[in-house]
């Protein structure tokens, strides 16, 4: 029976396999949604977003919310507002406060999000989910 030093490969190979397995497990835990920009304060900056290299982007985040006001296609600007709602939301306005009082579950409002694109952005499209009430969507005032 040999009583010399242990074989180098017998000691290193199992350790290497374990380390690589640990790295593979941790890399698979990275959430790709961490790198998707989200709307903040009613604005979503997509100037650094590459639509050719990435999947479609959800318009999630904080949108401006103007209860009791309706935007129109000929209205180029609505005064800035501090009311923000997280989108996607539950659609329950009674959970939203306007000042110190809660809103009624009934009424009307404008949701507004300003998008900024790079100058070389070509044609884009927007997918609008089905609404179960009256709605209008304006893009660039149209």
């Amino acid at each position: 029976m040999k009583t010399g030093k242990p074989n180098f490969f017998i000691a290193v190979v199992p350790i290497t396999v374990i380390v690589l397995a640990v790295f593979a497990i941790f890399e698979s835990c990275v959430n790709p949604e961490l790198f998707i920009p989200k709307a903040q304060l009613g604005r979503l900056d997509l100037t650094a977003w590459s639509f050719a290299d990435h999947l479609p982007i959800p318009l999630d985040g904080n949108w401006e919310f103007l209860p009791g006001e309706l935007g129109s296609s000929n209205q180029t600007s609505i005064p800035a507002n501090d009311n923000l709602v997280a989108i996607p939301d539950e659609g329950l306005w009674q959970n939203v406060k306007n000042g110190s009082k809660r809103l009624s579950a009934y009424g009307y409002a404008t949701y507004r999000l300003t998008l900024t694109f790079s100058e070389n952005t070509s044609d884009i499209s927007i997918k609008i989910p089905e609404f179960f009430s009256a709605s209008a969507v304006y893009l660039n005032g149209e």
Side-chain angles (χ1 to χ4, degrees), residues 36-138:
I36 295 176
K38 293 201 181 285
Q40 297 178 351
L41 302 175
R43 302 191 181 287
L44 180 58
D45 184 0
L46 298 173
T47 53
W49 187 258
S50 171
F51 289 95
D53 297 337
H54 296 91
L55 297 174
I57 185 166
L59 302 179
D60 294 345
N62 291 320
W63 289 45
E64 286 184 87
F65 179 68
L66 303 121
E69 295 187 37
L70 292 178
S72 66
S73 63
N74 61 4
Q75 187 175 14
T76 56
S77 67
I78 299 173
N81 191 309
D82 290 337
N83 287 337
L84 299 170
V85 293
I87 300 292
D89 68 351
E90 299 171 354
L92 302 174
W93 290 1
Q94 64 265 31
N95 294 338
V96 177
K97 286 187 177 180
N98 188 10
S100 62
K101 67 177 190 171
R102 292 194 182 276
L103 295 176
S104 166
Y106 305 100
Y108 57 94
T110 295
Y111 289 89
R112 179 173 60 186
L113 180 65
T114 302
L115 303 172
T116 306
F117 299 100
S118 65
E119 289 186 21
N120 62 353
T121 301
S122 60
D123 294 337
I124 59 170
S125 62
I126 183 169
K127 179 182 178 184
I128 301 169
E130 185 175 354
F131 290 104
F132 295 103
S133 63
S135 64
V137 176
Y138 300 105

